Amino acid sequence: MSKMTESADDMTKSTSPFLSLTGLRAALRDGSISSTAATEAILTRIETIDPTLRSFVTVTAEEALAQARAADQRLANGEKTPLLGVPVAIKEILCSEGIVSQAGSKILEGFKPPYDAYVVSKLKAAGAVIVGMTNTDEFGMGSSTEYSAFQTSRNPWNIECTPGGSSGGSAAAVAGGLAYGALGTDTGGSVRLPASFCGIVGLRPTYGRVSRWGVIAYASSLDQVGPMGRTVEDTAVMLQTISGYDERDSTSIETAVPDYEAACTGDIRGLKIGIPQEYFIEGLDPEVKAAVEAAIEQLAALGAEIVDISLPHTKYALPMYYLIATAEASANLARYDGVRFGPRVPGKDVIETTMRTRALFGPEVKNRIMLGTFVLSAGYYDAYYGRALKARTLLINDFNRAFEQVDVILTPTSPTTAFKIGEKADDPLQMYLTDIFTVSLNLSASCGLSVPCGRDSAGLPIGLQLIGATLQEETILRVAHAYQQATEWHTAHPPV
Ligand code: GLN
């Protein structure tokens, strides 16, 4: 322990937990800090701060220190894999070999996967040090982490507020200086919303860009893993690491991975940015609106061309999403039946055993399974699920038409800043409304990110959403990076 404190002191002398991932990487490469010292400092910080933030469900201190020591050896040999020696965190919805990965659910309590998710193996191959598994709403269903069966995470900017969800643990950890980057999953906004609430960058890649092998499924036509970081470049490095073709995921796109870091050129002159009127609606917090409008002006000053556009089917996106996501969830979660997956709570016969076992699901997951089963049932399928699929095509057409006109679409990430813990937990509809600006791109074939663009009068971060066409991650990274170069929102840190 005294060793740990000593190295933590070394760390504060030469660097800080709020150094960017690329900054730490440079310090590791030039030998001004060791991965062991950086990791020990992060672990000490987790011990001190995380009892308040509750961002980690499992801290893998021993494994992390072993990875750090191995990284130091490799660094000493001059190796330069992209994340060599960098402490990162992952959402506990990603399978991590031998490490408890529970998807925030009692039905997976204590589950230690026998293999790594594709993205986890990519992080390890890049030399990352994984410091722990972060909190999530159960199976990713929620917008605040309050639907986790284990704990509620807190927002480092104000611990009475939620960090957003469902990847709220990852967002709080990165914002609070407990990891230099993190992975989340985004089915309807779960990377972008918490990024926006916590004042960091979060990117949802195009469906198929990142393999879902080893990702505990929520809604299979929408799920995607996404990186989170304190800067756009950090996020680009993480995206670079986890992208790529994987034959074990049939939806994985077989196409080369561009150099995402190189996309951060700082030059956006002549780029066309579309502003859809449908996102500047009643219910949008005036402070959020003002911050987003200021960002639009800033981007225009940097040489982008601002174009008014329309995405006419936007108002159907939320109902469409909650029909499709719940339908797919009800099918995916059928596997936890006490026979094939998960624990078994025995009863007198099969029916009672199934009922007792599935009673381990939390109330919100049960809501979704019931809704999803209903919309898929005979007599209702065409009226609800079938109709949602047709509407989804109209929404995709909206985006295709818009991307004929513009390179990037800009919207607020969320209608409000972070809300208080407890404020919406008992009112699922209010909770669902939080996702109103994020779900559209999950339903379409777009990619998107949230980048900090201001703070409200209570000091809470405001996020800006940039949406790109299929596989145009480079373009949204380029715009977000240029914006960060010209502004300072990402350099401020929460009071933790
Ligand atoms: N809040 C949304 C939901 O509850 C999105 C979740 C997600 O992206 N995993 O479904």
Side-chain angles (χ1 to χ4, degrees):
M1 195 58 210
S2 67
K3 171 93 180 45
M4 189 178 267
T5 327
E6 213 177 272
S7 305
D9 287 346
D10 287 347
M11 169 97 172
T12 23
K13 266 182 233 148
S14 52
T15 180
S16 107
F18 291 113
L19 189 67
S20 64
L21 181 155
T22 51
L24 177 70
R25 186 173 69 174
L28 289 165
R29 284 181 181 172
D30 73 21
S32 51
I33 185 155
S34 70
S35 174
T36 307
T39 304
E40 285 176 346
I42 286 288
L43 291 171
T44 304
R45 210 172 143 76
I46 293 174
E47 253 177 55
T48 320
I49 295 172
D50 213 44
T52 307
L53 291 186
R54 302 177 70 75
S55 57
F56 286 92
V57 180
T58 307
V59 179
T60 49
E62 247 175 65
E63 293 84 350
L65 287 170
Q67 287 163 356
R69 280 190 291 268
D72 281 332
Q73 291 260 322
R74 290 169 62 188
L75 284 160
N77 293 336
E79 273 186 56
K80 283 198 172 132
T81 51
L83 292 172
L84 191 52
V86 176
V88 299
I90 56 184
K91 184 178 184 177
E92 73 147 357
I93 218 161
L94 307 171
C95 286
S96 197
E97 189 183 339
I99 308 291
V100 175
S101 312
Q102 312 164 117
S105 183
K106 288 264 180 221
I107 215 157
L108 282 173
E109 192 166 6
F111 170 58
K112 289 186 178 168
Y115 64 95
D116 280 333
Y118 173 87
V119 290
V120 174
S121 64
K122 293 282 270 187
L123 286 183
K124 286 184 179 169
V129 171
I130 299 170
V131 291
M133 311 294 286
T134 57
N135 193 29
T136 171
D137 289 288
E138 188 171 359
F139 288 100
M141 298 176 190
S143 308
S144 68
T145 75
E146 288 165 287
Y147 299 151
S148 158
F150 304 110
Q151 62 199 45
T152 295
S153 302
R154 294 171 178 275
N155 192 314
W157 292 91
N158 177 346
I159 58 168
E160 284 175 22
C161 291
T162 144
S166 61
S167 315
S170 285
V174 172
L178 305 182
Y180 289 87
L183 294 184
T185 54
D186 191 315
T187 303
S190 281
V191 163
R192 290 159 288 150
L193 180 76
S196 148
F197 280 10
C198 290
I200 61 165
V201 182
L203 186 145
R204 142 91 197 191
T206 306
Y207 186 75
R209 172 75 289 178
V210 177
S211 168
R212 293 170 305 124
W213 169 262
V215 179
I216 298 170
Y218 164 9
S220 301
S221 80
L222 303 161
D223 293 345
Q224 194 67 192
V225 179
M228 302 163 111
R230 286 191 291 267
T231 72
V232 174
E233 280 167 306
D234 292 358
T235 311
V237 174
M238 297 282 287
L239 178 64
Q240 187 86 43
T241 305
I242 61 170
S243 295
Y245 175 66
D246 176 17
E247 61 181 14
R248 293 165 304 179
D249 177 355
S250 60
T251 64
S252 173
I253 301 174
E254 195 164 2
T255 178
V257 179
D259 186 340
Y260 291 122
E261 249 187 291
C264 300
T265 58
D267 183 7
I268 57 163
R269 276 170 300 174
L271 218 83
K272 290 199 174 110
I273 301 181
I275 315 294
Q277 64 194 39
E278 292 83 358
Y279 283 72
F280 293 81
I281 49 169
E282 213 182 299
L284 175 61
D285 180 325
E287 289 188 297
V288 174
K289 185 164 184 269
V292 171
E293 284 171 351
I296 296 172
E297 273 176 35
Q298 179 78 56
L299 290 165
L302 292 170
E305 189 185 325
I306 309 298
V307 183
D308 284 328
I309 59 163
S310 174
L311 296 167
H313 295 93
T314 298
K315 61 175 175 293
Y316 305 113
L318 202 62
M320 232 184 268
Y321 170 80
Y322 276 97
L323 290 173
I324 294 172
T326 54
E328 293 181 6
S330 75
N332 273 327
L333 271 49
R335 73 190 66 173
Y336 304 100
D337 57 3
V339 178
R340 291 171 295 172
F341 280 88
R344 175 182 307 173
V345 187
K348 67 176 182 319
D349 54 22
V350 174
I351 305 264
E352 199 180 275
T353 300
T354 311
M355 285 174 68
R356 285 190 178 174
T357 301
R358 287 173 69 80
L360 290 170
F361 286 128
E364 180 57 19
V365 172
K366 287 182 191 155
N367 281 346
R368 308 256 183 138
I369 293 174
M370 284 190 286
L371 184 61
T373 307
F374 174 73
V375 302
L376 287 177
S377 58
Y380 297 99
Y381 184 100
D382 287 339
Y384 295 110
Y385 184 65
R387 228 190 231 182
L389 289 186
K390 285 185 190 149
R392 186 175 187 176
T393 306
L394 297 175
L395 191 89
I396 294 172
N397 292 345
D398 277 4
F399 275 92
N400 288 345
R401 263 193 296 273
F403 285 121
E404 283 168 15
Q405 267 180 282
V406 297
D407 302 295
V408 168
I409 296 170
L410 184 155
T411 76
T413 306
S414 163
T416 66
T417 52
F419 49 90
K420 289 255 163 66
I421 291 170
E423 196 179 311
K424 301 186 182 187
D426 299 328
D427 188 347
L429 206 58
Q430 282 305 314
M431 192 71 92
Y432 299 172
L433 281 167
T434 314
D435 308 328
I436 193 155
F437 297 149
T438 51
V439 294
S440 291
L441 77 87
N442 300 71
L443 293 161
S444 71
S446 310
C447 55
L449 61 73
S450 180
V451 61
C453 73
R455 273 193 300 284
D456 68 8
S457 43
L460 292 167
I462 299 173
L464 176 75
Q465 179 171 242
L466 296 167
I467 306 175
T470 308
L471 293 174
Q472 293 306 308
E473 283 80 2
E474 286 168 285
T475 317
I476 52 174
L477 286 166
R478 176 145 71 104
V479 176
H481 173 253
Y483 177 74
Q484 270 193 345
Q485 296 295 99
T487 53
E488 308 235 301
W489 301 113
H490 61 294
T491 59
H493 304 304
V496 287

